[in-house]
Amino acid sequence: MTVLHFFLPALAFGLVATAKVDRSFLTVPLTAALVTLAGLAAAAALYLGLPWFRSAPRAAVGVLLLSAAFGNVTYLGLPVITETLGERYGYIAILYDLLATTPVLLTVGMLTAARFGSGGTVSLAASFRRVLMLPPLWGVVAGVAAHAVAVPRAVLDAAQLMGRAVIPVMIFTVGLALDFRDVRRLPVALPALALKLFLAPVLAWLIARAAGTSGTVLQAVVIEGAMPVMVLSLVLADEFELDVPLAATCIAVSTVASFFTLPLMMEILF
C-alpha cells in the first residue's frame, strides 16, 4: 500500500517528467493492451476449446487465463529494464503497466475472474472508477503535465529519491509471492506459462514493430512482454475464490523460468 500510494506515483512522475514525450507514449500502451488481450484470447481458445482441458475445474481455468495474459511488468519488469537498458528507459515499464496492463486487469481481468470464480460479481463501471483512482496513474498524468509547466528541480529530485524505494520493495514483494508447494499440478499450467513466456514477447515484438517502434524502446517493450505471471493475479484469485495454490505456483514457476526464457527470447528476436 505504501508503494501504491506514495513511492510508485513519485517514481511514475519522475520518470515521465524527465522522459522525452514522443510516439512511444501511444505505441507502448497500445502494444501492451493488444499483447495482454491476445494472451487472454489464446488461453481461452486453448483451455476452453481443447478436449484435454475440458475437465479442469473452472477455478483453475480462471487462474490459467489470467496467468497467460498478465505479466509482472512493473514489480519485475521495471528493475530488469533499468538494470539492462538504463534508468532513462524505466518510463516504458510505467507506460506499459499503468496505461494498459493494469486498466485491462481491473476491467477485463476482473470480469474474467468473476466469471470463473465464486467470490462475487464485478461492476464494469466500478472497475473503470477503480482504474481512474489509481495513484500511480495520476503520477503519470502529473509527469505529462510537467512537460508543459516548469517544475522546480527540487521537486523532480525529491520524486526520484522517493522512487528509489520502489524497486527493492517490489523485488521483496515478488519473493513473498513465490510458492512451490503445488508444483505437482504444473502440467496443466505449462501451456499457459508457455503463452506468457514465449508467445507474448513475440507478439510484443511484432505489434511494436508494426506500430513503428524500434531500437532500445523496442527492446524494453519485448522485455515487458516476456515478464512472468503478474503477482496481482494472486490477489484476484483470492478475491474471487479461484484456485489460489495454482496461482501461486504459476507465479513462482514462471518467475524462475523467466531468468532463462527472457535472455533466450531477446537473443532470438534481436
Side-chain angles (χ1 to χ4, degrees):
M1 294 299 290
T2 303
V3 169
L4 180 66
H5 287 90
F6 296 102
F7 296 128
L8 189 53
L11 178 66
F13 170 74
L15 288 174
V16 174
T18 55
K20 179 183 178 181
V21 177
D22 53 22
R23 63 185 300 169
S24 66
F25 276 66
L26 294 176
T27 59
V28 171
L30 175 63
T31 300
L34 292 177
V35 169
T36 302
L37 293 173
L40 188 63
L46 192 67
Y47 284 101
L48 300 178
L50 295 182
W52 305 297
F53 301 111
R54 288 177 184 169
S55 61
R58 290 181 60 82
V61 172
V63 163
L64 296 171
L65 296 185
L66 296 177
S67 298
F70 297 98
N72 201 358
V73 293
T74 294
Y75 280 23
L76 195 58
L78 178 60
V80 170
I81 287 176
T82 56
E83 289 299 320
T84 58
L85 304 180
E87 291 187 5
R88 59 176 294 195
Y89 293 101
Y91 80 98
I92 299 296
I94 300 299
L95 298 181
Y96 198 102
D97 184 8
L98 297 178
L99 297 188
T101 304
T102 293
V104 173
L105 175 72
L106 296 180
T107 52
V108 178
M110 290 187 70
L111 290 171
T112 301
R115 177 177 177 82
F116 287 90
S118 55
T121 59
V122 60
S123 165
L124 190 59
S127 297
F128 279 116
R129 285 196 297 270
R130 184 179 296 191
V131 171
L132 294 177
M133 292 301 292
L134 284 173
L137 183 60
W138 288 101
V140 174
V141 173
V144 173
H147 288 274
V149 179
V151 178
R153 186 67 213 180
V155 174
L156 291 176
D157 290 342
Q160 292 172 348
L161 182 62
M162 290 179 64
R164 289 176 185 170
V166 172
I167 290 179
V169 175
M170 286 177 171
I171 294 296
F172 177 72
T173 305
V174 171
L176 292 177
L178 299 183
D179 188 343
F180 295 91
R181 288 176 295 181
D182 208 34
V183 291
R184 59 184 175 80
R185 299 169 63 198
L186 184 59
V188 73
L190 284 178
L193 302 187
L195 291 176
K196 185 69 208 69
L197 298 175
F198 295 106
L199 177 63
V202 172
L203 290 177
W205 185 80
L206 291 172
I207 296 171
R209 279 175 57 90
T213 305
S214 60
T216 309
V217 173
L218 177 61
Q219 293 180 6
V221 170
V222 172
I223 287 174
E224 290 290 84
M227 283 296 102
V229 178
M230 178 183 274
V231 172
L232 287 180
S233 65
L234 192 64
V235 177
L236 282 189
D238 182 61
E239 181 177 348
F240 291 95
E241 298 181 9
L242 296 173
D243 194 328
V244 175
L246 182 61
T249 296
C250 289
I251 293 170
V253 173
S254 65
T255 299
V256 173
S258 68
F259 290 103
F260 301 94
T261 60
L262 175 58
L264 174 64
M265 297 309 297
M266 295 299 288
E267 181 68 24
I268 292 174
L269 295 175
F270 295 98

CSV table of all heavy atoms in Angstrom, one decimal, residues 94-157:
chain,number,residue,atom,x,y,z
A,94,ILE,N,6.4,1.9,-16.9
A,94,ILE,CA,5.3,2.7,-16.4
A,94,ILE,C,4.2,2.8,-17.4
A,94,ILE,O,3.0,2.6,-17.1
A,94,ILE,CB,5.8,4.1,-15.9
A,94,ILE,CG1,6.8,4.0,-14.8
A,94,ILE,CG2,4.6,4.9,-15.4
A,94,ILE,CD1,6.4,3.3,-13.6
A,95,LEU,N,4.5,3.2,-18.7
A,95,LEU,CA,3.5,3.3,-19.7
A,95,LEU,C,2.9,1.9,-20.0
A,95,LEU,O,1.6,1.8,-20.2
A,95,LEU,CB,4.2,3.8,-21.0
A,95,LEU,CG,4.8,5.2,-20.9
A,95,LEU,CD1,5.3,5.6,-22.3
A,95,LEU,CD2,3.8,6.3,-20.5
A,96,TYR,N,3.7,0.9,-20.1
A,96,TYR,CA,3.2,-0.5,-20.4
A,96,TYR,C,2.2,-0.9,-19.3
A,96,TYR,O,1.2,-1.5,-19.6
A,96,TYR,CB,4.4,-1.4,-20.5
A,96,TYR,CG,4.1,-2.7,-21.2
A,96,TYR,CD1,4.5,-2.9,-22.5
A,96,TYR,CD2,3.4,-3.8,-20.5
A,96,TYR,CE1,4.3,-4.1,-23.1
A,96,TYR,CE2,3.2,-5.0,-21.2
A,96,TYR,CZ,3.6,-5.1,-22.5
A,96,TYR,OH,3.4,-6.3,-23.1
A,97,ASP,N,2.5,-0.6,-18.1
A,97,ASP,CA,1.6,-1.1,-17.0
A,97,ASP,C,0.5,-0.2,-16.7
A,97,ASP,O,-0.7,-0.6,-16.9
A,97,ASP,CB,2.5,-1.2,-15.7
A,97,ASP,CG,1.7,-1.8,-14.6
A,97,ASP,OD1,0.5,-2.2,-14.8
A,97,ASP,OD2,2.2,-1.8,-13.4
A,98,LEU,N,0.7,1.1,-16.4
A,98,LEU,CA,-0.3,1.9,-15.9
A,98,LEU,C,-1.3,2.4,-16.9
A,98,LEU,O,-2.4,2.8,-16.6
A,98,LEU,CB,0.3,3.1,-15.1
A,98,LEU,CG,1.1,2.8,-13.9
A,98,LEU,CD1,1.7,4.0,-13.3
A,98,LEU,CD2,0.3,2.0,-12.9
A,99,LEU,N,-0.9,2.5,-18.2
A,99,LEU,CA,-1.8,2.9,-19.2
A,99,LEU,C,-2.4,1.8,-20.0
A,99,LEU,O,-3.2,2.0,-20.9
A,99,LEU,CB,-1.0,3.8,-20.2
A,99,LEU,CG,-0.5,5.1,-19.6
A,99,LEU,CD1,0.1,6.1,-20.7
A,99,LEU,CD2,-1.6,5.9,-18.8
A,100,ALA,N,-2.0,0.5,-19.7
A,100,ALA,CA,-2.6,-0.6,-20.4
A,100,ALA,C,-2.8,-1.8,-19.6
A,100,ALA,O,-4.0,-2.2,-19.3
A,100,ALA,CB,-1.7,-1.0,-21.6
A,101,THR,N,-1.8,-2.4,-19.0
A,101,THR,CA,-1.9,-3.7,-18.4
A,101,THR,C,-2.8,-3.6,-17.1
A,101,THR,O,-3.7,-4.4,-17.0
A,101,THR,CB,-0.5,-4.2,-17.9
A,101,THR,OG1,0.3,-4.3,-19.1
A,101,THR,CG2,-0.7,-5.6,-17.3
A,102,THR,N,-2.6,-2.7,-16.3
A,102,THR,CA,-3.4,-2.6,-15.1
A,102,THR,C,-4.9,-2.2,-15.4
A,102,THR,O,-5.8,-2.8,-14.8
A,102,THR,CB,-2.8,-1.6,-14.1
A,102,THR,OG1,-1.6,-2.1,-13.6
A,102,THR,CG2,-3.7,-1.3,-12.9
A,103,PRO,N,-5.1,-1.2,-16.3
A,103,PRO,CA,-6.5,-1.0,-16.6
A,103,PRO,C,-7.2,-2.2,-17.2
A,103,PRO,O,-8.4,-2.5,-16.9
A,103,PRO,CB,-6.4,0.1,-17.7
A,103,PRO,CG,-5.2,0.9,-17.3
A,103,PRO,CD,-4.2,-0.2,-16.8
A,104,VAL,N,-6.5,-3.0,-18.0
A,104,VAL,CA,-7.1,-4.2,-18.6
A,104,VAL,C,-7.3,-5.2,-17.5
A,104,VAL,O,-8.4,-5.9,-17.4
A,104,VAL,CB,-6.2,-4.8,-19.7
A,104,VAL,CG1,-6.8,-6.2,-20.2
A,104,VAL,CG2,-6.2,-3.9,-20.9
A,105,LEU,N,-6.4,-5.3,-16.5
A,105,LEU,CA,-6.5,-6.2,-15.4
A,105,LEU,C,-7.8,-5.9,-14.6
A,105,LEU,O,-8.5,-6.8,-14.2
A,105,LEU,CB,-5.3,-6.2,-14.5
A,105,LEU,CG,-5.4,-7.1,-13.3
A,105,LEU,CD1,-5.3,-8.5,-13.6
A,105,LEU,CD2,-4.2,-6.7,-12.3
A,106,LEU,N,-8.0,-4.6,-14.3
A,106,LEU,CA,-9.0,-4.2,-13.4
A,106,LEU,C,-10.4,-4.1,-14.1
A,106,LEU,O,-11.4,-3.9,-13.4
A,106,LEU,CB,-8.7,-2.8,-12.8
A,106,LEU,CG,-7.5,-2.8,-11.9
A,106,LEU,CD1,-7.3,-1.4,-11.3
A,106,LEU,CD2,-7.6,-3.8,-10.7
A,107,THR,N,-10.4,-4.4,-15.4
A,107,THR,CA,-11.7,-4.4,-16.1
A,107,THR,C,-11.9,-5.8,-16.7
A,107,THR,O,-12.6,-6.6,-16.1
A,107,THR,CB,-11.7,-3.4,-17.2
A,107,THR,OG1,-10.5,-3.5,-18.0
A,107,THR,CG2,-11.8,-2.0,-16.7
A,108,VAL,N,-11.2,-6.1,-17.8
A,108,VAL,CA,-11.4,-7.5,-18.4
A,108,VAL,C,-10.9,-8.6,-17.5
A,108,VAL,O,-11.6,-9.6,-17.4
A,108,VAL,CB,-10.6,-7.5,-19.7
A,108,VAL,CG1,-10.8,-8.9,-20.4
A,108,VAL,CG2,-11.2,-6.4,-20.7
A,109,GLY,N,-9.8,-8.3,-16.8
A,109,GLY,CA,-9.3,-9.4,-15.9
A,109,GLY,C,-10.2,-9.7,-14.7
A,109,GLY,O,-10.4,-10.8,-14.4
A,110,MET,N,-10.8,-8.6,-14.1
A,110,MET,CA,-11.7,-8.9,-13.0
A,110,MET,C,-13.0,-9.5,-13.5
A,110,MET,O,-13.6,-10.4,-12.8
A,110,MET,CB,-12.0,-7.5,-12.3
A,110,MET,CG,-10.8,-7.0,-11.5
A,110,MET,SD,-11.2,-5.5,-10.6
A,110,MET,CE,-12.3,-6.3,-9.3
A,111,LEU,N,-13.5,-9.2,-14.7
A,111,LEU,CA,-14.7,-9.8,-15.2
A,111,LEU,C,-14.4,-11.3,-15.5
A,111,LEU,O,-15.3,-12.1,-15.3
A,111,LEU,CB,-15.1,-9.1,-16.5
A,111,LEU,CG,-15.7,-7.7,-16.4
A,111,LEU,CD1,-15.8,-7.0,-17.8
A,111,LEU,CD2,-17.0,-7.7,-15.7
A,112,THR,N,-13.2,-11.6,-16.0
A,112,THR,CA,-12.8,-13.0,-16.2
A,112,THR,C,-12.8,-13.8,-14.9
A,112,THR,O,-13.3,-14.9,-14.8
A,112,THR,CB,-11.4,-13.1,-16.9
A,112,THR,OG1,-11.5,-12.4,-18.1
A,112,THR,CG2,-11.0,-14.5,-17.1
A,113,ALA,N,-12.1,-13.1,-13.9
A,113,ALA,CA,-12.0,-13.8,-12.6
A,113,ALA,C,-13.4,-14.0,-12.0
A,113,ALA,O,-13.7,-15.1,-11.4
A,113,ALA,CB,-11.2,-12.9,-11.6
A,114,ALA,N,-14.3,-13.0,-12.1
A,114,ALA,CA,-15.7,-13.2,-11.6
A,114,ALA,C,-16.4,-14.3,-12.3
A,114,ALA,O,-17.2,-15.0,-11.7
A,114,ALA,CB,-16.4,-11.9,-11.7
A,115,ARG,N,-16.2,-14.4,-13.6
A,115,ARG,CA,-16.9,-15.4,-14.4
A,115,ARG,C,-16.5,-16.8,-14.0
A,115,ARG,O,-17.4,-17.7,-13.9
A,115,ARG,CB,-16.7,-15.2,-15.9
A,115,ARG,CG,-17.3,-16.3,-16.8
A,115,ARG,CD,-17.1,-15.9,-18.3
A,115,ARG,NE,-17.7,-17.0,-19.1
A,115,ARG,CZ,-18.9,-17.0,-19.5
A,115,ARG,NH1,-19.8,-16.2,-19.0
A,115,ARG,NH2,-19.4,-18.0,-20.3
A,116,PHE,N,-15.3,-17.1,-13.7
A,116,PHE,CA,-14.8,-18.4,-13.4
A,116,PHE,C,-14.7,-18.7,-11.9
A,116,PHE,O,-14.5,-19.8,-11.5
A,116,PHE,CB,-13.4,-18.6,-14.0
A,116,PHE,CG,-13.5,-18.8,-15.5
A,116,PHE,CD1,-13.4,-17.7,-16.4
A,116,PHE,CD2,-13.7,-20.1,-16.1
A,116,PHE,CE1,-13.4,-17.9,-17.8
A,116,PHE,CE2,-13.7,-20.2,-17.5
A,116,PHE,CZ,-13.6,-19.1,-18.3
A,117,GLY,N,-14.8,-17.7,-11.1
A,117,GLY,CA,-14.8,-17.8,-9.6
A,117,GLY,C,-16.1,-17.8,-9.0
A,117,GLY,O,-17.2,-17.8,-9.7
A,118,SER,N,-16.1,-17.9,-7.7
A,118,SER,CA,-17.4,-17.9,-6.9
A,118,SER,C,-17.4,-16.8,-5.8
A,118,SER,O,-18.2,-16.9,-4.9
A,118,SER,CB,-17.7,-19.3,-6.3
A,118,SER,OG,-16.6,-19.7,-5.5
A,119,GLY,N,-16.5,-15.9,-6.0
A,119,GLY,CA,-16.4,-14.9,-4.9
A,119,GLY,C,-17.2,-13.6,-5.1
A,119,GLY,O,-17.1,-12.7,-4.3
A,120,GLY,N,-18.1,-13.6,-6.1
A,120,GLY,CA,-18.9,-12.5,-6.3
A,120,GLY,C,-18.9,-11.9,-7.7
A,120,GLY,O,-18.2,-12.5,-8.6
A,121,THR,N,-19.6,-10.8,-7.9
A,121,THR,CA,-19.7,-10.2,-9.2
A,121,THR,C,-18.9,-8.9,-9.2
A,121,THR,O,-18.4,-8.5,-8.2
A,121,THR,CB,-21.2,-9.9,-9.6
A,121,THR,OG1,-21.7,-9.0,-8.6
A,121,THR,CG2,-22.0,-11.2,-9.6
A,122,VAL,N,-18.7,-8.4,-10.4
A,122,VAL,CA,-18.0,-7.1,-10.5
A,122,VAL,C,-18.7,-6.2,-11.5
A,122,VAL,O,-19.3,-6.7,-12.5
A,122,VAL,CB,-16.6,-7.4,-11.1
A,122,VAL,CG1,-16.6,-8.1,-12.4
A,122,VAL,CG2,-15.8,-6.1,-11.1
A,123,SER,N,-18.8,-4.9,-11.2
A,123,SER,CA,-19.4,-3.9,-12.0
A,123,SER,C,-18.3,-3.3,-12.9
A,123,SER,O,-17.3,-2.9,-12.4
A,123,SER,CB,-20.1,-2.9,-11.1
A,123,SER,OG,-20.4,-1.7,-11.9
A,124,LEU,N,-18.7,-3.2,-14.2
A,124,LEU,CA,-17.7,-2.6,-15.1
A,124,LEU,C,-17.5,-1.1,-14.8
A,124,LEU,O,-16.4,-0.6,-14.9
A,124,LEU,CB,-18.2,-2.8,-16.6
A,124,LEU,CG,-17.2,-2.4,-17.7
A,124,LEU,CD1,-16.0,-3.3,-17.6
A,124,LEU,CD2,-17.9,-2.6,-19.0
A,125,ALA,N,-18.6,-0.4,-14.4
A,125,ALA,CA,-18.5,1.0,-14.1
A,125,ALA,C,-17.6,1.1,-12.8
A,125,ALA,O,-16.7,2.0,-12.8
A,125,ALA,CB,-19.8,1.6,-13.8
A,126,ALA,N,-17.7,0.3,-11.9
A,126,ALA,CA,-16.9,0.3,-10.7
A,126,ALA,C,-15.4,0.0,-11.0
A,126,ALA,O,-14.5,0.6,-10.4
A,126,ALA,CB,-17.4,-0.7,-9.6
A,127,SER,N,-15.2,-0.9,-12.0
A,127,SER,CA,-13.9,-1.2,-12.4
A,127,SER,C,-13.2,0.0,-13.0
A,127,SER,O,-12.0,0.3,-12.7
A,127,SER,CB,-13.9,-2.4,-13.4
A,127,SER,OG,-14.4,-3.5,-12.7
A,128,PHE,N,-13.9,0.7,-13.9
A,128,PHE,CA,-13.4,1.9,-14.5
A,128,PHE,C,-13.0,3.0,-13.5
A,128,PHE,O,-12.0,3.7,-13.5
A,128,PHE,CB,-14.3,2.5,-15.6
A,128,PHE,CG,-14.2,1.7,-16.9
A,128,PHE,CD1,-15.3,1.0,-17.4
A,128,PHE,CD2,-13.1,1.8,-17.6
A,128,PHE,CE1,-15.2,0.4,-18.6
A,128,PHE,CE2,-13.0,1.1,-18.9
A,128,PHE,CZ,-14.1,0.4,-19.3
A,129,ARG,N,-13.9,3.1,-12.5
A,129,ARG,CA,-13.6,4.1,-11.4
A,129,ARG,C,-12.4,3.7,-10.6
A,129,ARG,O,-11.6,4.6,-10.2
A,129,ARG,CB,-14.8,4.2,-10.4
A,129,ARG,CG,-16.0,4.9,-11.0
A,129,ARG,CD,-17.0,5.3,-9.9
A,129,ARG,NE,-17.6,4.1,-9.3
A,129,ARG,CZ,-18.7,3.5,-9.7
A,129,ARG,NH1,-19.4,4.0,-10.7
A,129,ARG,NH2,-19.2,2.5,-9.0
A,130,ARG,N,-12.2,2.4,-10.4
A,130,ARG,CA,-11.0,1.9,-9.7
A,130,ARG,C,-9.8,2.3,-10.5
A,130,ARG,O,-8.7,2.6,-9.9
A,130,ARG,CB,-11.1,0.4,-9.4
A,130,ARG,CG,-10.0,-0.1,-8.6
A,130,ARG,CD,-10.1,-1.6,-8.4
A,130,ARG,NE,-11.3,-1.9,-7.6
A,130,ARG,CZ,-11.5,-3.1,-7.1
A,130,ARG,NH1,-10.7,-4.1,-7.3
A,130,ARG,NH2,-12.6,-3.4,-6.4
A,131,VAL,N,-9.8,2.1,-11.8
A,131,VAL,CA,-8.7,2.5,-12.7
A,131,VAL,C,-8.4,3.9,-12.5
A,131,VAL,O,-7.2,4.3,-12.4
A,131,VAL,CB,-9.0,2.1,-14.1
A,131,VAL,CG1,-7.9,2.6,-15.0
A,131,VAL,CG2,-9.1,0.6,-14.3
A,132,LEU,N,-9.4,4.8,-12.6
A,132,LEU,CA,-9.2,6.2,-12.6
A,132,LEU,C,-8.7,6.7,-11.2
A,132,LEU,O,-8.1,7.8,-11.2
A,132,LEU,CB,-10.5,6.9,-12.9
A,132,LEU,CG,-11.0,6.8,-14.4
A,132,LEU,CD1,-12.3,7.5,-14.6
A,132,LEU,CD2,-10.0,7.3,-15.4
A,133,MET,N,-8.9,5.9,-10.2
A,133,MET,CA,-8.5,6.3,-8.8
A,133,MET,C,-7.1,5.8,-8.5
A,133,MET,O,-6.6,6.1,-7.4
A,133,MET,CB,-9.5,5.8,-7.8
A,133,MET,CG,-10.8,6.5,-7.9
A,133,MET,SD,-10.7,8.3,-7.7
A,133,MET,CE,-10.3,8.4,-5.9
A,134,LEU,N,-6.4,5.1,-9.4
A,134,LEU,CA,-5.1,4.6,-9.1
A,134,LEU,C,-4.1,5.7,-8.9
A,134,LEU,O,-3.9,6.5,-9.8
A,134,LEU,CB,-4.6,3.7,-10.3
A,134,LEU,CG,-5.2,2.3,-10.4
A,134,LEU,CD1,-4.7,1.7,-11.7
A,134,LEU,CD2,-4.8,1.5,-9.2
A,135,PRO,N,-3.5,5.8,-7.7
A,135,PRO,CA,-2.5,6.9,-7.5
A,135,PRO,C,-1.3,6.9,-8.5
A,135,PRO,O,-0.9,8.0,-9.0
A,135,PRO,CB,-2.0,6.6,-6.1
A,135,PRO,CG,-3.1,5.9,-5.4
A,135,PRO,CD,-3.7,5.0,-6.5
A,136,PRO,N,-0.7,5.8,-8.9
A,136,PRO,CA,0.3,5.8,-9.9
A,136,PRO,C,-0.1,6.4,-11.2
A,136,PRO,O,0.7,7.1,-11.9
A,136,PRO,CB,0.8,4.4,-10.0
A,136,PRO,CG,0.4,3.7,-8.8
A,136,PRO,CD,-0.9,4.4,-8.4
A,137,LEU,N,-1.4,6.2,-11.6
A,137,LEU,CA,-1.9,6.8,-12.9
A,137,LEU,C,-1.8,8.3,-12.8
A,137,LEU,O,-1.5,8.9,-13.8
A,137,LEU,CB,-3.3,6.2,-13.1
A,137,LEU,CG,-3.9,6.7,-14.5
A,137,LEU,CD1,-3.1,6.2,-15.6
A,137,LEU,CD2,-5.3,6.2,-14.6
A,138,TRP,N,-2.2,8.8,-11.7
A,138,TRP,CA,-2.1,10.3,-11.5
A,138,TRP,C,-0.7,10.8,-11.5
A,138,TRP,O,-0.4,11.9,-11.9
A,138,TRP,CB,-2.9,10.7,-10.2
A,138,TRP,CG,-4.4,10.6,-10.4
A,138,TRP,CD1,-5.2,9.6,-10.0
A,138,TRP,CD2,-5.2,11.4,-11.2
A,138,TRP,NE1,-6.4,9.8,-10.4
A,138,TRP,CE2,-6.5,10.9,-11.1
A,138,TRP,CE3,-5.0,12.6,-11.9
A,138,TRP,CZ2,-7.6,11.5,-11.7
A,138,TRP,CZ3,-6.1,13.2,-12.5
A,138,TRP,CH2,-7.3,12.7,-12.4
A,139,GLY,N,0.2,9.9,-11.1
A,139,GLY,CA,1.6,10.3,-11.2
A,139,GLY,C,2.1,10.4,-12.6
A,139,GLY,O,2.8,11.3,-13.0
A,140,VAL,N,1.5,9.5,-13.5
A,140,VAL,CA,1.8,9.6,-14.9
A,140,VAL,C,1.2,10.9,-15.5
A,140,VAL,O,1.9,11.6,-16.3
A,140,VAL,CB,1.2,8.4,-15.7
A,140,VAL,CG1,1.4,8.6,-17.2
A,140,VAL,CG2,1.9,7.1,-15.2
A,141,VAL,N,0.0,11.2,-15.1
A,141,VAL,CA,-0.7,12.4,-15.6
A,141,VAL,C,0.1,13.7,-15.2
A,141,VAL,O,0.3,14.6,-16.0
A,141,VAL,CB,-2.1,12.5,-15.1
A,141,VAL,CG1,-2.7,13.9,-15.4
A,141,VAL,CG2,-3.0,11.4,-15.6
A,142,ALA,N,0.6,13.7,-13.9
A,142,ALA,CA,1.4,14.8,-13.4
A,142,ALA,C,2.7,14.9,-14.2
A,142,ALA,O,3.2,16.0,-14.5
A,142,ALA,CB,1.6,14.7,-11.9
A,143,GLY,N,3.3,13.8,-14.5
A,143,GLY,CA,4.5,13.8,-15.2
A,143,GLY,C,4.4,14.3,-16.6
A,143,GLY,O,5.2,15.1,-17.1
A,144,VAL,N,3.3,14.0,-17.3
A,144,VAL,CA,3.0,14.5,-18.6
A,144,VAL,C,2.8,16.1,-18.5
A,144,VAL,O,3.3,16.8,-19.4
A,144,VAL,CB,1.8,13.9,-19.3
A,144,VAL,CG1,1.4,14.6,-20.6
A,144,VAL,CG2,2.1,12.4,-19.5
A,145,ALA,N,2.0,16.5,-17.5
A,145,ALA,CA,1.8,17.9,-17.3
A,145,ALA,C,3.0,18.7,-17.0
A,145,ALA,O,3.1,19.9,-17.4
A,145,ALA,CB,0.8,18.1,-16.2
A,146,ALA,N,4.0,18.0,-16.4
A,146,ALA,CA,5.3,18.7,-16.1
A,146,ALA,C,6.0,19.1,-17.4
A,146,ALA,O,6.9,20.0,-17.3
A,146,ALA,CB,6.2,17.8,-15.3
A,147,HIS,N,5.7,18.6,-18.5
A,147,HIS,CA,6.3,19.0,-19.8
A,147,HIS,C,5.8,20.3,-20.2
A,147,HIS,O,6.4,21.0,-21.1
A,147,HIS,CB,6.1,17.9,-20.8
A,147,HIS,CG,7.0,16.7,-20.6
A,147,HIS,ND1,8.3,16.5,-21.1
A,147,HIS,CD2,6.6,15.5,-20.0
A,147,HIS,CE1,8.7,15.3,-20.7
A,147,HIS,NE2,7.8,14.7,-20.0
A,148,ALA,N,4.6,20.7,-19.8
A,148,ALA,CA,4.0,22.0,-20.2
A,148,ALA,C,4.2,23.1,-19.1
A,148,ALA,O,4.0,24.2,-19.4
A,148,ALA,CB,2.5,21.8,-20.5
A,149,VAL,N,4.5,22.7,-17.9
A,149,VAL,CA,4.6,23.6,-16.8
A,149,VAL,C,6.0,23.4,-16.2
A,149,VAL,O,6.4,22.3,-15.9
A,149,VAL,CB,3.5,23.4,-15.7
A,149,VAL,CG1,3.7,24.4,-14.6
A,149,VAL,CG2,2.2,23.5,-16.3
A,150,ALA,N,6.7,24.5,-15.9
A,150,ALA,CA,8.0,24.4,-15.3
A,150,ALA,C,7.9,23.8,-13.9
A,150,ALA,O,7.1,24.3,-13.1
A,150,ALA,CB,8.6,25.8,-15.2
A,151,VAL,N,8.7,22.8,-13.7
A,151,VAL,CA,8.7,22.1,-12.3
A,151,VAL,C,10.1,22.4,-11.7
A,151,VAL,O,11.1,22.1,-12.3
A,151,VAL,CB,8.5,20.6,-12.5
A,151,VAL,CG1,8.5,19.9,-11.1
A,151,VAL,CG2,7.1,20.4,-13.1
A,152,PRO,N,10.1,22.8,-10.5
A,152,PRO,CA,11.4,23.1,-9.8
A,152,PRO,C,12.2,21.8,-9.8
A,152,PRO,O,11.7,20.7,-9.6
A,152,PRO,CB,11.0,23.5,-8.4
A,152,PRO,CG,9.6,24.0,-8.5
A,152,PRO,CD,8.9,23.2,-9.6
A,153,ARG,N,13.5,22.0,-9.9
A,153,ARG,CA,14.4,20.8,-9.9
A,153,ARG,C,14.3,20.1,-8.6
A,153,ARG,O,14.5,18.8,-8.6
A,153,ARG,CB,15.8,21.3,-10.2
A,153,ARG,CG,16.8,20.2,-10.3
A,153,ARG,CD,16.6,19.4,-11.6
A,153,ARG,NE,16.9,18.0,-11.4
A,153,ARG,CZ,16.8,17.1,-12.4
A,153,ARG,NH1,16.3,17.4,-13.6
A,153,ARG,NH2,17.1,15.8,-12.2
A,154,ALA,N,14.1,20.8,-7.5
A,154,ALA,CA,14.0,20.1,-6.2
A,154,ALA,C,12.8,19.1,-6.2
A,154,ALA,O,12.9,18.1,-5.5
A,154,ALA,CB,13.8,21.2,-5.1
A,155,VAL,N,11.7,19.5,-6.8
A,155,VAL,CA,10.6,18.6,-6.9
A,155,VAL,C,10.9,17.3,-7.6
A,155,VAL,O,10.6,16.2,-7.2
A,155,VAL,CB,9.4,19.3,-7.5
A,155,VAL,CG1,8.2,18.3,-7.7
A,155,VAL,CG2,8.9,20.5,-6.7
A,156,LEU,N,11.6,17.4,-8.8
A,156,LEU,CA,12.0,16.3,-9.5
A,156,LEU,C,13.0,15.4,-8.8
A,156,LEU,O,12.9,14.2,-8.8
A,156,LEU,CB,12.6,16.7,-10.9
A,156,LEU,CG,11.7,17.3,-11.9
A,156,LEU,CD1,12.5,17.8,-13.1
A,156,LEU,CD2,10.6,16.4,-12.3
A,157,ASP,N,13.9,16.0,-8.1
A,157,ASP,CA,14.9,15.3,-7.3
A,157,ASP,C,14.2,14.5,-6.1
A,157,ASP,O,14.6,13.4,-5.9
A,157,ASP,CB,15.9,16.3,-6.7
A,157,ASP,CG,16.9,16.8,-7.8
A,157,ASP,OD1,16.9,16.2,-8.9
A,157,ASP,OD2,17.5,17.8,-7.5
